[in-house]
mmCIF file of all heavy atoms in Angstrom:
data_model
loop_
_atom_site.group_PDB
_atom_site.id
_atom_site.type_symbol
_atom_site.label_atom_id
_atom_site.label_comp_id
_atom_site.label_asym_id
_atom_site.label_seq_id
_atom_site.Cartn_x
_atom_site.Cartn_y
_atom_site.Cartn_z
ATOM 1 N N TYR X 159 -14.175 9.571 -14.275
ATOM 2 C CA TYR X 159 -14.835 8.276 -14.464
ATOM 3 C C TYR X 159 -15.811 8.328 -15.644
ATOM 4 O O TYR X 159 -15.861 7.409 -16.466
ATOM 5 C CB TYR X 159 -15.586 7.880 -13.195
ATOM 6 C CG TYR X 159 -15.248 6.484 -12.710
ATOM 7 C CD1 TYR X 159 -14.381 6.283 -11.649
ATOM 8 C CD2 TYR X 159 -15.794 5.367 -13.330
ATOM 9 C CE1 TYR X 159 -14.058 5.006 -11.207
ATOM 10 C CE2 TYR X 159 -15.491 4.086 -12.896
ATOM 11 C CZ TYR X 159 -14.618 3.917 -11.835
ATOM 12 O OH TYR X 159 -14.298 2.646 -11.414
ATOM 13 N N ALA X 160 -16.587 9.397 -15.711
ATOM 14 C CA ALA X 160 -17.612 9.494 -16.750
ATOM 15 C C ALA X 160 -17.024 9.615 -18.145
ATOM 16 O O ALA X 160 -17.586 9.092 -19.116
ATOM 17 C CB ALA X 160 -18.520 10.690 -16.463
ATOM 18 N N THR X 161 -15.896 10.288 -18.261
ATOM 19 C CA THR X 161 -15.345 10.558 -19.587
ATOM 20 C C THR X 161 -14.183 9.651 -19.983
ATOM 21 O O THR X 161 -13.907 9.502 -21.177
ATOM 22 C CB THR X 161 -14.871 12.017 -19.678
ATOM 23 O OG1 THR X 161 -13.869 12.266 -18.675
ATOM 24 C CG2 THR X 161 -16.034 12.976 -19.477
ATOM 25 N N ALA X 162 -13.507 9.052 -19.002
ATOM 26 C CA ALA X 162 -12.313 8.259 -19.314
ATOM 27 C C ALA X 162 -12.433 6.782 -18.961
ATOM 28 O O ALA X 162 -11.753 5.958 -19.572
ATOM 29 C CB ALA X 162 -11.097 8.848 -18.593
ATOM 30 N N LEU X 163 -13.283 6.423 -17.999
ATOM 31 C CA LEU X 163 -13.331 5.043 -17.528
ATOM 32 C C LEU X 163 -14.634 4.322 -17.825
ATOM 33 O O LEU X 163 -14.645 3.091 -17.915
ATOM 34 C CB LEU X 163 -13.068 4.995 -16.012
ATOM 35 C CG LEU X 163 -11.686 5.448 -15.546
ATOM 36 C CD1 LEU X 163 -11.601 5.389 -14.021
ATOM 37 C CD2 LEU X 163 -10.587 4.613 -16.172
ATOM 38 N N ASP X 164 -15.706 5.039 -17.956
ATOM 39 C CA ASP X 164 -16.998 4.410 -18.220
ATOM 40 C C ASP X 164 -16.935 3.607 -19.518
ATOM 41 O O ASP X 164 -16.595 4.155 -20.566
ATOM 42 C CB ASP X 164 -18.088 5.483 -18.316
ATOM 43 C CG ASP X 164 -19.489 4.884 -18.321
ATOM 44 O OD1 ASP X 164 -19.670 3.763 -18.831
ATOM 45 O OD2 ASP X 164 -20.415 5.547 -17.828
ATOM 46 N N PRO X 165 -17.259 2.307 -19.474
ATOM 47 C CA PRO X 165 -17.197 1.496 -20.698
ATOM 48 C C PRO X 165 -18.094 2.021 -21.816
ATOM 49 O O PRO X 165 -17.847 1.744 -22.989
ATOM 50 C CB PRO X 165 -17.660 0.111 -20.224
ATOM 51 C CG PRO X 165 -17.422 0.101 -18.758
ATOM 52 C CD PRO X 165 -17.640 1.507 -18.300
ATOM 53 N N LYS X 166 -19.140 2.758 -21.465
ATOM 54 C CA LYS X 166 -20.061 3.285 -22.465
ATOM 55 C C LYS X 166 -19.836 4.776 -22.740
ATOM 56 O O LYS X 166 -20.736 5.477 -23.197
ATOM 57 C CB LYS X 166 -21.501 3.048 -22.018
ATOM 58 C CG LYS X 166 -21.869 1.573 -21.899
ATOM 59 C CD LYS X 166 -23.326 1.386 -21.536
ATOM 60 C CE LYS X 166 -23.686 -0.099 -21.472
ATOM 61 N NZ LYS X 166 -25.123 -0.301 -21.121
ATOM 62 N N ARG X 167 -18.619 5.248 -22.483
ATOM 63 C CA ARG X 167 -18.339 6.674 -22.647
ATOM 64 C C ARG X 167 -18.446 7.116 -24.103
ATOM 65 O O ARG X 167 -18.720 8.281 -24.382
ATOM 66 C CB ARG X 167 -16.955 7.012 -22.106
ATOM 67 C CG ARG X 167 -15.822 6.282 -22.807
ATOM 68 C CD ARG X 167 -14.507 6.476 -22.074
ATOM 69 N NE ARG X 167 -13.412 5.738 -22.682
ATOM 70 C CZ ARG X 167 -13.122 4.475 -22.413
ATOM 71 N NH1 ARG X 167 -13.850 3.824 -21.543
ATOM 72 N NH2 ARG X 167 -12.111 3.868 -23.000
ATOM 73 N N GLY X 168 -18.192 6.228 -25.042
ATOM 74 C CA GLY X 168 -18.298 6.562 -26.461
ATOM 75 C C GLY X 168 -17.409 7.723 -26.848
ATOM 76 O O GLY X 168 -16.233 7.779 -26.492
ATOM 77 N N TYR X 169 -17.994 8.691 -27.551
ATOM 78 C CA TYR X 169 -17.232 9.846 -28.025
ATOM 79 C C TYR X 169 -16.718 10.714 -26.885
ATOM 80 O O TYR X 169 -15.801 11.529 -27.072
ATOM 81 C CB TYR X 169 -18.086 10.693 -28.962
ATOM 82 C CG TYR X 169 -19.188 11.456 -28.269
ATOM 83 C CD1 TYR X 169 -18.978 12.749 -27.801
ATOM 84 C CD2 TYR X 169 -20.436 10.883 -28.057
ATOM 85 C CE1 TYR X 169 -19.983 13.449 -27.152
ATOM 86 C CE2 TYR X 169 -21.446 11.574 -27.414
ATOM 87 C CZ TYR X 169 -21.221 12.851 -26.969
ATOM 88 O OH TYR X 169 -22.204 13.536 -26.316
ATOM 89 N N LEU X 170 -17.292 10.562 -25.684
ATOM 90 C CA LEU X 170 -16.835 11.365 -24.549
ATOM 91 C C LEU X 170 -15.378 11.091 -24.215
ATOM 92 O O LEU X 170 -14.694 11.928 -23.637
ATOM 93 C CB LEU X 170 -17.706 11.093 -23.319
ATOM 94 C CG LEU X 170 -19.101 11.715 -23.297
ATOM 95 C CD1 LEU X 170 -19.846 11.282 -22.047
ATOM 96 C CD2 LEU X 170 -19.018 13.227 -23.371
ATOM 97 N N GLY X 171 -14.879 9.903 -24.594
ATOM 98 C CA GLY X 171 -13.485 9.583 -24.328
ATOM 99 C C GLY X 171 -12.527 10.534 -25.006
ATOM 100 O O GLY X 171 -11.416 10.780 -24.507
ATOM 101 N N THR X 172 -12.944 11.103 -26.128
ATOM 102 C CA THR X 172 -12.061 12.022 -26.854
ATOM 103 C C THR X 172 -11.953 13.377 -26.164
ATOM 104 O O THR X 172 -10.990 14.114 -26.407
ATOM 105 C CB THR X 172 -12.561 12.225 -28.291
ATOM 106 O OG1 THR X 172 -13.885 12.799 -28.265
ATOM 107 C CG2 THR X 172 -12.606 10.906 -29.039
ATOM 108 N N ILE X 173 -12.937 13.718 -25.336
ATOM 109 C CA ILE X 173 -12.885 15.011 -24.652
ATOM 110 C C ILE X 173 -12.539 14.867 -23.178
ATOM 111 O O ILE X 173 -12.639 15.838 -22.428
ATOM 112 C CB ILE X 173 -14.211 15.786 -24.802
ATOM 113 C CG1 ILE X 173 -15.349 15.060 -24.042
ATOM 114 C CG2 ILE X 173 -14.565 15.983 -26.263
ATOM 115 C CD1 ILE X 173 -16.573 15.916 -23.852
ATOM 116 N N ALA X 174 -12.152 13.664 -22.758
ATOM 117 C CA ALA X 174 -11.817 13.445 -21.348
ATOM 118 C C ALA X 174 -10.764 14.420 -20.837
ATOM 119 O O ALA X 174 -10.951 15.038 -19.781
ATOM 120 C CB ALA X 174 -11.374 12.001 -21.125
ATOM 121 N N PRO X 175 -9.640 14.605 -21.544
ATOM 122 C CA PRO X 175 -8.646 15.564 -21.037
ATOM 123 C C PRO X 175 -9.200 16.974 -20.894
ATOM 124 O O PRO X 175 -8.891 17.678 -19.925
ATOM 125 C CB PRO X 175 -7.539 15.502 -22.102
ATOM 126 C CG PRO X 175 -7.694 14.161 -22.722
ATOM 127 C CD PRO X 175 -9.165 13.918 -22.756
ATOM 128 N N LEU X 176 -10.032 17.381 -21.856
ATOM 129 C CA LEU X 176 -10.626 18.715 -21.793
ATOM 130 C C LEU X 176 -11.560 18.848 -20.601
ATOM 131 O O LEU X 176 -11.515 19.835 -19.854
ATOM 132 C CB LEU X 176 -11.386 18.992 -23.093
ATOM 133 C CG LEU X 176 -11.998 20.384 -23.256
ATOM 134 C CD1 LEU X 176 -10.911 21.441 -23.334
ATOM 135 C CD2 LEU X 176 -12.869 20.430 -24.508
#
Side-chain angles (χ1 to χ4, degrees):
Y159 232 102
T161 59
L163 296 178
D164 191 328
K166 297 183 178 180
R167 61 190 177 274
Y169 72 91
L170 285 177
T172 61
I173 67 166
L176 184 65

